[in-house]
Amino acid sequence: MSRRLPVIHGITGEDAGPYRLERLDLEFSNGERRRFERMVPRGPGAVVVVPMLDDQTVLLVREYAAGVNRYELGLVKGRMDPGETPEQAADRELKEEAGYGARRLDVLRQLTLVPTYMGHVSWLVLARDLYPERLPGDEPEELEVIPWKMQELDRLMLREDFSEGRSLAALFVAREWLARQ
């Protein structure tokens, strides 16, 4: 069913770090008026990188996750700098976090985080034909790089220290995309 977007009667907002918190005064097609809040990111978004060491092995990184106060296993990811393409950002983040560059980068799709109240977009980038190269990053400590076999994704998705939804979704999207190549 296709619906007309709600009418926005007003937007107020305030700065919230790398985001802007906006309050929207909305009117839906049935006449209902509601106030919604959304987080609008500053900047062009982020990348989530699936770095393939070989046809069967993805590189994961373990890093501190302040939101859950533990070390979390996941994919290379990070914010895009202004003016960067998703491919450029993915290659830079891969060099900073995992110590590899990629000769082949394919943008597979966009991923959102809780789109009901957040406008953040992450570009899913598949990185192949890797070579060693490290750039200094903004991480407070070197990240542990862990090779993982794609055929063992079922085991990975059940790990307590692998909970980030973008990483989980990205691995399954990449696996299906690679199977069709």
Side-chain angles (χ1 to χ4, degrees):
M1 175 163 99
S2 179
R3 292 188 176 167
R4 182 172 53 93
L5 289 173
V7 174
I8 300 174
H9 289 285
I11 300 174
T12 59
E14 60 192 66
D15 289 337
Y19 298 95
R20 178 169 175 74
L21 174 60
E22 292 184 345
R23 291 172 186 85
L24 285 74
D25 177 15
L26 299 174
E27 181 178 349
F28 289 82
S29 59
N30 63 0
E32 282 286 322
R33 294 243 344 221
R34 297 284 166 88
R35 188 175 200 175
F36 277 55
E37 291 183 340
R38 69 180 177 192
M39 299 294 287
V40 179
R42 299 182 189 284
V47 291
V48 177
V49 186
V50 179
M52 298 300 297
L53 187 60
D54 58 42
D55 290 343
Q56 299 300 317
T57 310
V58 63
L59 295 178
L60 304 175
V61 293
R62 185 184 316 279
E63 68 180 312
Y64 178 71
V68 292
N69 191 34
R70 68 175 181 224
Y71 282 88
E72 185 81 7
L73 194 57
L75 292 170
V76 167
K77 56 196 162 301
R79 279 189 255 174
M80 294 172 60
D81 290 336
E84 271 187 323
T85 65
E87 294 92 339
Q88 291 167 332
D91 195 48
R92 177 183 50 75
E93 287 291 341
L94 185 57
K95 291 172 182 174
E96 291 174 0
E97 294 188 3
Y100 286 90
R103 291 182 187 90
R104 183 166 180 194
L105 295 153
D106 296 296
V107 177
L108 302 188
R109 63 166 296 145
Q110 289 182 338
L111 299 171
T112 60
L113 298 171
V114 285
T116 52
Y117 71 86
M118 191 175 215
H120 182 78
V121 172
S122 294
W123 294 92
L124 168 52
V125 180
L126 180 66
R128 293 180 284 174
D129 196 7
L130 304 183
Y131 59 92
E133 184 176 341
R134 182 164 296 282
L135 288 176
D138 58 1
E139 289 77 19
E141 59 188 2
E142 189 172 325
L143 303 184
E144 181 182 2
V145 178
I146 299 164
W148 195 276
K149 295 294 182 188
M150 291 291 278
Q151 67 195 29
E152 295 182 16
L153 286 185
D154 58 335
R155 210 169 53 101
L156 178 64
M157 72 179 185
L158 297 175
R159 289 179 59 116
E160 187 175 316
D161 64 345
F162 182 79
S163 66
E164 203 250 339
R166 289 179 304 171
S167 289
L168 182 58
L171 285 170
F172 282 94
V173 169
R175 183 180 71 179
E176 292 304 309
W177 191 86
L178 287 166
R180 290 178 169 82
Q181 296 303 301

